[in-house]
Amino acid sequence: MTVTALLGEIADVGRDGRRGGYSRHGFAPVEGELRTWFVEQAQRRGLDVRTDRNGNLWAWWGTPGPNAVITGSHLDSVPGGGAFDGPLGVAASLSAVDLLRSGGFQPGRPLAIGVFSEEEGGRFGVPCLGSRLMTGSLDPDAARRLTDSDGITLAEAASSAGVDPARFGRDDEALADIGCFVELHVEQGRAMDLLDDRPSVAVASSILAHGRWRFTVTGVGNHAGTTEVPDRRDPMLPAAAAVLAARRALGGRAGARATVGRLTPTPGGTNVIASSVDFWLDARAPEEAPVREVVEEITAAARAAAAEEGCELSVRQESFGDTVLFDPALRDRLAAELGGVPVLPTGAGHDAGILASRVPTAMLFVRNPTGISHAPAEHAEPADCEAGAAALARTLESLCRDEP
Amino acid sequence: MTVTALLGEIADVGRDGRRGGYSRHGFAPVEGELRTWFVEQAQRRGLDVRTDRNGNLWAWWGTPGPNAVITGSHLDSVPGGGAFDGPLGVAASLSAVDLLRSGGFQPGRPLAIGVFSEEEGGRFGVPCLGSRLMTGSLDPDAARRLTDSDGITLAEAASSAGVDPARFGRDDEALADIGCFVELHVEQGRAMDLLDDRPSVAVASSILAHGRWRFTVTGVGNHAGTTEVPDRRDPMLPAAAAVLAARRALGGRAGARATVGRLTPTPGGTNVIASSVDFWLDARAPEEAPVREVVEEITAAARAAAAEEGCELSVRQESFGDTVLFDPALRDRLAAELGGVPVLPTGAGHDAGILASRVPTAMLFVRNPTGISHAPAEHAEPADCEAGAAALARTLESLCRDEP
C-alpha cells in the first residue's frame, strides 16, 4: 500500500473541531483507535505484534531477536497537530515492508516496526515518554505520577488503555534486541525546500539540546471590578513578563529558541483576577549551556516581576534532552546509499534522539514544502511521501544485509 | 430558616475540584440543580414559582401584579467562585420571608424573589444575561448566538435547561409588575470591614461603568523547536504586551481597573507556537470616558505589538454598562430605616445595576471580612449573613407598607 493510502485510512481519526487538525494524545481512546488500526495493518502483513512494558508496539517481520533492524515512529500528536508528524513514519514503515516483500526480499536479520507511546508529551508533558521509559532516562515512579490537564495520572490512563503501569521502566531485554534504529519523519522546517533541487528525502545529523519547564505564578484570586491596583497580586503580570522575556533572551544566542505556547490562568474567568497562572517554556539551543542560560534569564525576569506584584514563582524542569549527534557512520552510509541526499540538523525532538544514546540511530526526513509543523497546515507532497517510503525500504534492505 | 442553614443545603453543589470553590454556570446542569433547590424552598413557603421568557425565576408571595416589591439575586458563579456571590442574596430572601411570616406579616403589595440567569457571564461571556434580556438591553438574536467554550450556543443550552430561547427578549409585562427591586449581596471589597464599627450591612450608592472586550490575536501556528525567530509570528507576544499594558493604562486614572483573567492560546501545546490567542479584558472606571480611554490604550499597545510580530488583532466589545447611580430616595430611605448604615459604591456589576435603568432599585451589602470575592476564599460571617436577612426583611416590610 502507498503511504497516501495508509494515511487516508486514518484521516478522520482524532480530528479536533475546535483547534483544527488532530488531537491524538497518548493512552487516550483516539490513540487507541490508531493503535488498533496499526495492529490490523501489521497483522495483514503477517507481522507479529507485541506490546512492551512501556506500551510501545513492536510489529516483527521474522523472529524477534538480537541485532534487529528497527524502524517506526509514533501515532500521537500535539493538540491541534498535523497529519504527518508521527503517522508518516509509521505509514512509511508499513509501505516499506510492502515494497520489500513485493521485491521478494526476505530479511536476514530480525526486522520490526516500533510505535512509541506519547512522543509529543501532549497529554502528560514529557515528550518521548515511551522511548524515555524504555531507555531508563525517565524514572517510572515519576512517570506514573504525571497528570494530564484533567488530573488523570499516567498510571490511570495506561491502565485504561490496557497497559500495566506497574511494569513501566527500563527495558534492557527490548533494547538488547535493537541492532539499529531508523526513523522516518516529515521535516519540521523548510531547509529541504529551500535547497535548489528540493529533495524528497534527507538524512538527519543532529537534534538541538531541548527541554520543558513548568512555571507556576501564584497570586491572590479576587474580583476584577472591586480590587484596586495596590491590593492586586495578579499572577498574569509576571507570566506576561516571562513571555516577553523568552523572546528577548534569544538575542545574540545563535540557534536558540524559547516558546510559551501553553498558558493557563486559574480560574480563568473574565471578571476574575487569576489566583495562579501555569505556563510552560520550551527552550532549545545547539548545546546545553545556552539552553540553561535562556531558562535562567527568563526565570530571572519572571521572578523579578513576581516580586514586584507580590506573587510567588516556582519553576520545575519537566524534561531535558542534551544535543543528539546521530551515529556518524550510519548517517554517512545512508546519505550515500540514497544517492547523496543532504544531511541536515533539526530543532525537533524525536524518539530516535532518545534511542541514539543506546543504539546506532539514524533519521530520514521527507520534504515539508512550507516548513510548518505542529499545526493543521503541516504538509508533505504525496510523491515525496512515497519517495520517503522507497528510501526507507532501500535503507532497511541494506541494513538487513549487514553481517551481525 | 437561617441563611447559614440554607447555604448549607447547597454547599456541595457545583464544587470545582480543579480550581477550588464553585463552578455553577448559567443553563448548566449544576445551575439547574440549584434552581430545583430554590423552587422546592419557595414551594415549601407556599410561594408560587414562575419562569419568565428569559429563564429568570420568580417566587411570588401573593398574587403577581403591578407595584410589586422584588428582592433576589442569582445562583450562578464565576469559574472557581465563592459560596456567597449570588446565593447569599437568594438565601437571605428566603430567610427574610421566614422572618416576615413568623412575625405575622402579610404583604400589602405583591412580593417576589427573583433568581436571575447567568449573572456572572461565566459561561456565555455577557454578564447579567437574564436581566439584560428582560430589560431589552441585550438583543435576543445576539444572545441566542452566544457560545460557551465548548461551542454550545446559548439557544442550545437554554433548550437543554427547558427554557425556550425563541421567547427570549424584552419582557415589558414582567417589568410592568416591578414597583421596586432590592438585591442583597456580599460586599466584594473591604470597605465595610475597614470602617471602625465594621457594620454587618450597608447600602449601595453606585456601580462603576464597566465592560468586557474580547481580543483575538492571530499568528501562525508552528513547531516550537524548528521555527527560528525571523520566521515566528507568535500571537502570545502581543497578548503578553496587552496584559502589561492593561496595568500601565491605569496610571493616573483614579478608580479605573483593567484585568485580563482569561487567556486561551490555541492550540495550547508546550512544543507548539500558538496559532492564535484569545483573551478577555475587563475594564471599569467611575465614568464611561476613562473606561473607553483605558480600552483604547490597551488596544493600541496590542495593535503595535501585533504589527511588530506580523500578527492580526481583532477586538470586540462583548458587553458594556454605564455608571449606575441607585435611586437616591430609596437609597437614603433604606440607609435611614436600617439605623444609619453606611452608603458605599461598588466596582462589581449586578442585576440590580441593570434593573436600575427601569425601576427604582437599591442594594444591601453584607460585610466581607477580607474583601476577597470571585474566589474560593470569599467569605461572610454567619452573624453578618443573618443580620443581612433581618435588614432585608425590615426593608421589604417597610416597602410593602407603601401606598402604591
Side-chain angles (χ1 to χ4, degrees):
Chain A
M1 274 177 87
T2 64
V3 173
T4 301
L6 285 158
L7 290 178
E9 293 196 338
I10 55 172
D12 290 331
V13 181
R15 283 192 185 273
D16 188 322
R18 189 168 72 78
R19 298 183 177 93
Y22 297 94
S23 288
R24 300 160 161 173
H25 297 313
F27 302 100
V30 160
E31 200 217 21
E33 205 174 321
L34 293 169
R35 291 163 71 95
T36 300
W37 167 81
F38 173 74
V39 170
E40 285 170 6
Q41 286 294 335
Q43 288 172 342
R44 270 193 228 169
R45 287 163 175 81
L47 308 182
D48 173 27
V49 184
R50 303 175 176 202
T51 306
D52 72 16
R53 297 168 46 179
N54 298 299
N56 307 305
L57 297 172
W58 301 86
W60 288 93
W61 185 358
T63 309
N67 203 31
V69 174
I70 310 291
T71 185
S73 190
H74 63 96
L75 290 167
D76 68 301
S77 77
V78 298
F84 297 88
D85 179 354
L88 175 60
V90 176
S93 300
L94 291 164
S95 188
V97 166
D98 293 344
L99 291 170
L100 291 171
R101 185 166 288 147
S102 68
F105 175 78
Q106 279 295 334
R109 292 164 69 173
L111 176 65
I113 304 172
V115 174
F116 295 94
S117 305
E118 176 86 339
E119 191 268 349
E120 300 290 3
R123 183 170 178 195
F124 294 101
V126 177
C128 302
L129 197 62
S131 53
R132 277 182 207 268
L133 282 167
M134 184 172 87
T135 56
S137 75
L138 175 64
D139 175 67
D141 280 330
R144 282 185 282 261
R145 286 194 301 267
L146 293 169
T147 52
D148 69 10
S149 59
D150 294 325
I152 298 170
T153 64
L154 173 57
E156 292 163 347
S159 295
S160 300
V163 174
D164 178 5
R167 300 189 66 236
F168 277 176
R170 178 167 154 158
D171 192 343
D172 285 321
E173 209 174 321
L175 284 165
D177 283 346
I178 306 179
C180 61
F181 178 61
V182 182
E183 179 172 3
L184 179 144
H185 204 280
V186 66
E187 203 207 344
Q188 297 177 283
R190 225 186 136 194
M192 293 167 71
D193 194 70
L194 290 172
L195 294 171
D196 283 342
D197 61 345
R198 303 173 74 232
S200 298
V201 175
V203 171
S205 57
S206 62
I207 292 178
L208 296 180
H210 63 288
R212 296 178 178 196
W213 288 262
R214 178 180 186 151
F215 287 63
T216 302
V217 191
T218 307
V220 176
N222 214 330
H223 193 293
T226 57
T227 315
E228 298 208 56
V229 172
D231 300 326
R232 289 185 177 227
R233 293 167 62 187
D234 183 347
M236 281 295 280
L237 275 81
V243 169
L244 298 181
R247 175 62 61 86
R248 276 200 312 276
L250 303 182
R253 290 192 173 97
R257 299 99 154 93
T259 308
V260 177
R262 181 178 174 202
L263 185 151
T264 309
T266 297
T270 301
N271 51 350
V272 186
I273 298 167
S275 56
S276 65
V277 177
D278 291 283
F279 63 94
W280 284 258
L281 172 67
D282 178 303
R284 315 193 190 208
E287 286 92 35
E288 175 171 356
V291 175
R292 299 288 177 192
E293 287 165 21
V294 161
V295 175
E296 276 165 31
E297 194 170 320
I298 297 164
T299 302
R303 200 171 297 288
E308 195 179 337
E309 185 70 11
C311 294
E312 300 294 319
L313 174 72
S314 73
V315 182
R316 189 163 58 79
Q317 178 180 300
E318 288 199 334
S319 66
F320 184 77
D322 205 351
T323 313
V324 173
L325 298 174
F326 288 111
D327 186 273
L330 190 57
R331 172 196 75 199
D332 293 342
R333 170 182 167 178
L334 265 53
E337 287 181 353
L338 295 173
V341 298
V343 175
L344 299 167
T346 179
H350 297 285
D351 293 308
I354 305 299
L355 287 170
S357 66
R358 305 294 301 273
V359 294
T361 298
M363 289 191 77
L364 301 183
F365 290 137
V366 168
R367 186 171 64 92
N368 178 332
T370 62
I372 288 177
S373 187
H374 284 186
E378 180 181 85
H379 188 62
E381 295 294 339
D384 292 325
C385 294
E386 306 313 333
L392 182 61
R394 199 161 150 190
T395 297
L396 297 175
E397 182 172 6
S398 165
L399 292 169
C400 284
R401 289 209 168 111
D402 283 2
E403 291 303 309
Chain B
M1 275 177 86
T2 63
V3 173
T4 301
L6 285 159
L7 290 179
E9 293 195 342
I10 54 173
D12 290 330
V13 182
R15 283 193 185 274
D16 188 323
R18 188 168 71 79
R19 297 183 178 93
Y22 296 96
S23 288
R24 301 161 160 173
H25 297 312
F27 302 100
V30 162
E31 200 216 21
E33 203 175 321
L34 293 169
R35 291 163 71 96
T36 300
W37 166 81
F38 173 75
V39 170
E40 285 171 7
Q41 286 294 335
Q43 288 172 342
R44 271 191 227 169
R45 288 163 176 79
L47 308 182
D48 174 26
V49 184
R50 303 175 175 203
T51 306
D52 73 14
R53 297 168 44 180
N54 298 299
N56 307 307
L57 297 173
W58 302 86
W60 289 93
W61 185 359
T63 310
N67 203 32
V69 174
I70 309 291
T71 184
S73 191
H74 63 96
L75 291 168
D76 68 300
S77 77
V78 298
F84 297 88
D85 179 353
L88 175 60
V90 175
S93 299
L94 291 165
S95 188
V97 166
D98 294 344
L99 291 170
L100 290 171
R101 185 164 289 147
S102 68
F105 175 78
Q106 278 294 335
R109 292 164 69 174
L111 176 65
I113 305 172
V115 175
F116 295 95
S117 305
E118 175 86 338
E119 191 267 350
E120 299 290 2
R123 182 169 178 193
F124 293 102
V126 177
C128 301
L129 197 62
S131 54
R132 278 182 206 266
L133 281 167
M134 184 172 87
T135 55
S137 76
L138 174 63
D139 176 67
D141 279 331
R144 283 185 281 262
R145 286 194 301 267
L146 292 169
T147 52
D148 69 9
S149 59
D150 294 326
I152 298 169
T153 64
L154 174 56
E156 292 163 347
S159 295
S160 299
V163 175
D164 179 5
R167 300 188 66 237
F168 277 176
R170 179 165 153 158
D171 191 345
D172 286 320
E173 210 174 321
L175 284 166
D177 283 346
I178 306 179
C180 62
F181 177 61
V182 182
E183 178 171 4
L184 178 142
H185 204 279
V186 66
E187 203 208 343
Q188 297 177 282
R190 227 187 134 191
M192 295 167 70
D193 195 70
L194 291 172
L195 294 171
D196 283 343
D197 61 346
R198 303 172 76 231
S200 298
V201 175
V203 170
S205 57
S206 61
I207 292 178
L208 295 180
H210 63 288
R212 296 178 178 197
W213 289 262
R214 179 181 183 151
F215 287 63
T216 302
V217 191
T218 307
V220 175
N222 214 329
H223 193 294
T226 58
T227 315
E228 298 209 54
V229 173
D231 300 326
R232 289 185 178 227
R233 292 168 62 189
D234 182 348
M236 281 296 280
L237 275 83
V243 169
L244 298 181
R247 175 61 62 85
R248 275 199 312 275
L250 303 182
R253 291 193 174 95
R257 297 100 155 94
T259 307
V260 177
R262 182 178 173 202
L263 185 151
T264 309
T266 297
T270 301
N271 50 351
V272 186
I273 298 167
S275 56
S276 65
V277 176
D278 291 283
F279 63 94
W280 284 258
L281 172 67
D282 177 304
R284 316 193 189 208
E287 286 92 35
E288 175 170 356
V291 176
R292 299 288 177 192
E293 288 165 21
V294 162
V295 174
E296 275 165 31
E297 194 171 320
I298 297 164
T299 303
R303 201 171 296 289
E308 195 180 333
E309 186 70 11
C311 294
E312 300 295 319
L313 174 72
S314 73
V315 183
R316 189 162 58 80
Q317 178 179 299
E318 288 199 335
S319 66
F320 184 77
D322 205 351
T323 314
V324 173
L325 297 174
F326 289 111
D327 186 272
L330 190 57
R331 173 196 72 197
D332 293 344
R333 169 183 167 177
L334 264 54
E337 288 181 353
L338 295 174
V341 299
V343 175
L344 299 168
T346 179
H350 297 286
D351 293 308
I354 304 299
L355 287 170
S357 66
R358 303 296 299 275
V359 294
T361 298
M363 289 192 76
L364 301 183
F365 290 138
V366 168
R367 185 171 64 92
N368 179 332
T370 62
I372 288 178
S373 187
H374 284 186
E378 180 182 84
H379 187 63
E381 294 294 338
D384 292 325
C385 294
E386 307 312 333
L392 181 61
R394 199 161 151 188
T395 297
L396 296 175
E397 180 172 11
S398 165
L399 292 169
C400 283
R401 288 208 168 111
D402 284 1
E403 291 302 308

